[in-house]
Structure formats: C-alpha cells, structure tokens
Amino acid sequence: MSLDGRVAIVTGAGGGLGRAEALELARHGASVVVGDIDPDTAGDTAAAVEQLGGKAVAVTGDVGERETTDALLAAATERLGGLDVVVNNAGLVRDKMLFNLTDDDWDTVLRVHLRGHFLLCRGALQHWRGESKAHGGPVYGRIVNTSSEAFLSGPAGQANYGAAKAGITSLTVSTARAGGRYGVRANAICPRARTAMTAGTFGTDAPPGVDPLSTGHVAPLVAYLAAPASDAINGQVFVVHGGHVALLRPPSIDRDFVTGGDFWTVAELDDRLGRHFEAYDTDPPGRMFSASDVLELGQPGQETC
C-alpha cells in the first residue's frame, strides 16, 4: 500500500476533495504536485503536505490550458524527480436548465473538466510510454479520473456537466486500454462530497456525527487506486461516498429487435418498437437510458458484499 518514493500530481488540490486526496497520498508517502487555479490555496495545501513530512510543489494555472499541463508535468519530473500518479480532480459547475445554458456555460465546463482531463492524461501517458520504451518494459503509472453520477442520470439542470463527465468516463477506459501495455492503470471515481463546488447541491452544513458526504470517504479509495496493490484494477468506474464503494457494471443490451424482412420499414418499426415502448413506459414510468438507481446508493438493505 506504500507510496514511498512515488510522485503524484493532483489537480484542484487547493481545497475540498482535491486537498483531501493530496493529503491522503502524502500520508502514504507520496510527494505531491499541488495544482490549483488559486495560488494561495495551492500554497496552503503544499504546506500541509510538507507538515506531514512529504515534499510538495504548488503549480497555479487553469487545467484547460496546455501550459498548465506542461507546468504540472515539469514540476513532477524535474523538481520532484519523476511521475507515478495522476489524480484529475479540478472542476467547476455552471448549472442551468438546457434551454438557459449559454455558449460560455457549455464551453467552460467542457474545457475545464473534459479537456483538462484529456491534457493531463495524454501528457502523463506520453511520459510513461517514453519511459517504458527507454527501459524496455512496463513502468509504474496510475491515473485516477473524476467522473460523476451525473453521467449516469442525465440531470436536466446539468447538461454540460453530465456530458463532460460522460466524456471523462470514456476517456478513462481509452486511457486504460492505451496505457495497459506500458504498465499504466487508469480508473474513474464518481464521488459525492461536501465541497465548495457542490454546496448548491449538498449544502454546507454537515449533520451530527459522521458526515456521509465527507471527503474522508473518498480519499482512501484514491490512495488505494494509486498504490501498487491495485495493479489488477484497470478501466473501472466506482461510485464512492458514505462508506460505500460501488463498482459499476457496463451497460448491457435490453432487447435486440431484428427485422422480419431484408430491411426495416417504418410500419414494422412502429409495430415492433412502438408496441414495446407503450408497455415499457408504464413499468417503470418514464424509464430512459439512465442509471438513476445508482442515485439511491446508500439506502438500507442495498449492501451486496
């Protein structure tokens, strides 16, 4: 489980979930490049890592910009001596109903979340691929990306966020496939955590006792996925909060309709699909391509193991 001698990059690490992840990695021995758009909060987290006995470098910048990726990678490889772990966490929200979204609302969320993940995944994979070729074998590389249950449920007020998180999920699997031969493991988490970004959804006041939305429920999974012990886990998606770590199953085919002739006709489609969905819409009502049941995770009696 040890990360002694490992170097990690964590984006959005100035506060909230990213800070908790950076500190958890440091507790397990990693040196940390603390990325954040705010120099003050990045510096605070870097100082907290050093108080734990670790090494840290703060890098300020917008993760949607290539220059920030280059600075993060340079800080890891040149100032801390290598790169072993990438945690893509930085993000923001611009929540509105789809008909009220502006071009900028869409572009900003996609740029920070999806482009930000892409830039650092690509840069890290290029680095590890080069190292693998130089050494003639697999290297050590771990990527933990941050998706969201929003990609599963398609929330009406988060079309931009949900689309970005769906893209991150697909990007994670592609990264896992492309990097596997070089020793890289890439996985995604869908966390629920009470942070500044989620204040509008979860509020800011924690309940008495253990907060099910504490970042403390999420950070240990990130540290585990970054550790050598997780080598067998690749291309997976986990929902994590409140003591639960739920491994998601990929979508499956509900029903395969096959034409009775050489080609479909509109009339046959109406007969086959139309009759199916007339019944489909009543049980359960309004059923869509949506894994809304995942949003009920944590209810009593749901534990499977």
Side-chain angles (χ1 to χ4, degrees):
M1 303 299 174
S2 174
L3 292 171
D4 285 347
R6 306 293 184 187
V7 178
I9 296 173
V10 183
T11 67
L17 187 55
R19 177 184 172 92
E21 292 166 341
L23 295 180
E24 187 73 12
L25 293 170
R27 290 187 188 98
H28 288 271
S31 299
V32 184
V33 177
V34 177
D36 203 89
I37 200 165
D38 185 329
D40 293 333
T41 58
D44 288 345
T45 299
V49 168
E50 291 175 344
Q51 288 175 1
L52 292 172
K55 297 179 181 178
V57 175
V59 173
T60 303
D62 182 341
V63 294
E65 300 295 334
R66 170 66 185 274
E67 292 77 8
T68 302
T69 294
D70 293 343
L72 290 167
L73 293 170
T77 57
E78 298 173 13
R79 299 181 61 183
L80 294 179
L83 177 64
D84 302 285
V85 178
V86 166
V87 180
N88 277 306
N89 168 76
L92 47 73
V93 290
R94 297 286 186 271
D95 293 351
K96 294 178 185 176
M97 295 297 286
L98 180 58
F99 41 77
N100 288 325
L101 277 178
T102 66
D103 291 359
D104 185 65
D105 292 332
W106 178 269
D107 292 343
T108 298
V109 169
L110 269 290
R111 179 180 59 80
V112 172
H113 285 277
L114 186 52
R115 177 175 165 81
H117 274 64
F118 155 69
L119 288 172
L120 198 47
C121 282
R122 181 184 65 178
L125 201 53
Q126 288 172 336
H127 170 78
W128 287 322
R129 180 171 178 263
E131 291 286 296
S132 177
K133 288 188 172 184
H135 292 95
V139 296
Y140 189 96
R142 298 286 188 271
I143 294 177
V144 182
N145 286 336
T146 306
S147 185
S148 167
E149 292 163 283
F151 99 89
L152 296 165
S153 60
Q158 290 187 312
N160 48 0
Y161 184 75
K165 293 305 188 181
I168 287 169
T169 303
S170 180
L171 171 67
T172 302
V173 178
S174 294
T175 304
R177 293 187 190 281
R181 72 182 69 181
Y182 306 112
V184 178
R185 304 290 180 261
N187 296 285
I189 61 170
C190 300
R192 288 189 206 174
R194 196 184 309 279
T195 67
M197 193 188 84
T198 62
T201 302
F202 298 135
T204 57
D205 296 328
V210 177
D211 183 3
L213 297 177
S214 168
T215 58
H217 295 297
V218 180
L221 175 61
V222 172
Y224 175 68
L225 292 175
S230 68
D231 191 63
I233 305 173
N234 196 31
Q236 304 299 326
V237 181
F238 300 91
V239 176
V240 52
H241 61 83
H244 289 260
V245 174
L247 172 63
L248 296 186
R249 180 184 295 124
S252 60
I253 296 172
D254 186 6
R255 182 170 177 176
D256 181 20
F257 298 88
V258 181
T259 180
D262 293 329
F263 297 96
W264 284 105
T265 66
V266 173
E268 186 186 7
L269 287 167
D270 180 54
D271 179 59
R272 302 285 299 286
L273 291 178
R275 284 192 298 113
H276 174 73
F277 279 95
E278 285 173 2
Y280 192 96
D281 277 347
T282 61
D283 186 25
R287 184 178 175 188
M288 296 182 182
F289 186 79
S290 171
S292 301
D293 59 322
V294 177
L295 301 179
E296 302 302 319
L297 180 69
Q299 300 301 313
Q302 284 192 333
E303 296 82 358
T304 56
C305 63

